[in-house]
Amino acid sequence: MVDLSFLEQDSPVAAVALLGAVVTSTVDGERVSVLLNEVEAYLGPDDPASHAFRARTARNEPMFGLAGTIYVYRSYGIHWCINIVTGLRNDPQAVLLRGADVIEGTDVAIERRRRTDHLADGPGKLGQALGVTGAVSGTRLGAGPVALVSCADTLPPYEATPRVGVGAAHNRRWRFVTKKGTKHRAPNTG
DNA sequence: CACAAGATTGACT
DNA sequence: GTCAATCTTGTGT
């Protein structure tokens, strides 16, 4: 477990700091660790794409909590996507964990994913590989099944793609990808 | 209560 | 490239 105080910064800043960090989940006694290489920052009222854009509801309540709180939501009724809450209390911000490399418990991840590749190369895949469900939402890093084990000593070279698709549904979005063999496809416009 | 939309993925053509 | 799967949330009546 590392000092979580850096998460009290605004989400775009915290998001960058999370690149290269290691997240571990312990579910059903099985431990899986991943190294983050793709994250995305969301704000509150300023960010139309954010779940906290309109109202404070039961679902987005964790986003209003302390930095280091975990916010999990159901995507398309199928996937569980993991966020790490940043910023101060009552200032809804979060960093969506979009992609990672499995570095521990690969066999477990393969079993959960039922695939031998693309284990955590996307938000839904990441959640599935870690065995995270909605039950984890609202818990804090280190207090529940999910912990932040380490951060990168030195920030890896990364690429920032602000405001992808301005005018579309995703107005302001900060997406940060570690530069290591860019194998990621753009969501929409390629 | 009814209904539309969604921070996605995987399979098929 | 196109499209279905699947269900929760949010909003309107």
Side-chain angles (χ1 to χ4, degrees):
Chain A
M1 204 45 196
V2 297
D3 182 23
L4 297 177
S5 58
F6 74 95
L7 292 174
E8 292 168 7
Q9 304 170 96
D10 284 344
S11 59
V13 180
V16 170
L18 281 170
L19 288 175
V22 175
V23 173
T24 294
S25 79
T26 307
V27 178
D28 296 332
E30 314 215 74
R31 183 173 151 126
V32 175
S33 299
V34 300
L35 186 129
L36 300 178
N37 57 28
E38 182 178 354
V39 295
E40 199 164 62
Y42 288 87
L43 295 184
D46 284 339
D47 187 359
S50 171
H51 286 171
F53 176 57
R54 286 196 170 276
R56 183 172 183 160
T57 65
R59 178 177 65 152
N60 63 29
E61 177 64 26
M63 288 185 70
F64 291 80
L66 294 172
T69 300
I70 299 166
Y71 167 48
V72 181
Y73 72 93
R74 192 82 143 144
S75 174
Y76 289 87
I78 308 170
H79 310 288
W80 294 107
C81 300
I82 311 171
N83 294 252
I84 294 178
V85 175
T86 72
L88 303 176
R89 186 189 276 284
N90 291 328
D91 182 15
Q93 301 185 11
V95 176
L96 171 66
L97 310 185
R98 286 192 65 92
D101 290 325
V102 179
I103 59 176
E104 183 187 5
T106 308
D107 50 336
V108 178
I110 288 175
E111 204 172 319
R112 287 179 181 153
R113 293 274 303 123
R114 301 191 191 166
R115 302 244 177 324
T116 55
D117 54 356
H118 298 283
L119 292 177
D121 191 11
K125 304 176 191 175
L126 183 48
Q128 189 179 12
L130 289 178
V132 166
T133 68
V136 180
S137 193
T139 65
R140 299 204 65 207
L141 286 171
V146 180
L148 187 62
V149 188
S150 75
C151 284
D153 293 335
T154 59
L155 228 53
Y158 66 92
E159 205 170 5
T161 60
R163 294 171 168 263
V164 174
V166 175
H170 315 298
N171 203 348
R172 290 182 188 181
R173 85 181 190 179
W174 293 267
R175 183 175 160 206
F176 305 98
V177 186
T178 305
K179 270 187 180 174
K180 258 184 190 177
T182 307
K183 60 196 169 187
H184 306 287
R185 49 186 169 75
N188 288 327
T189 59

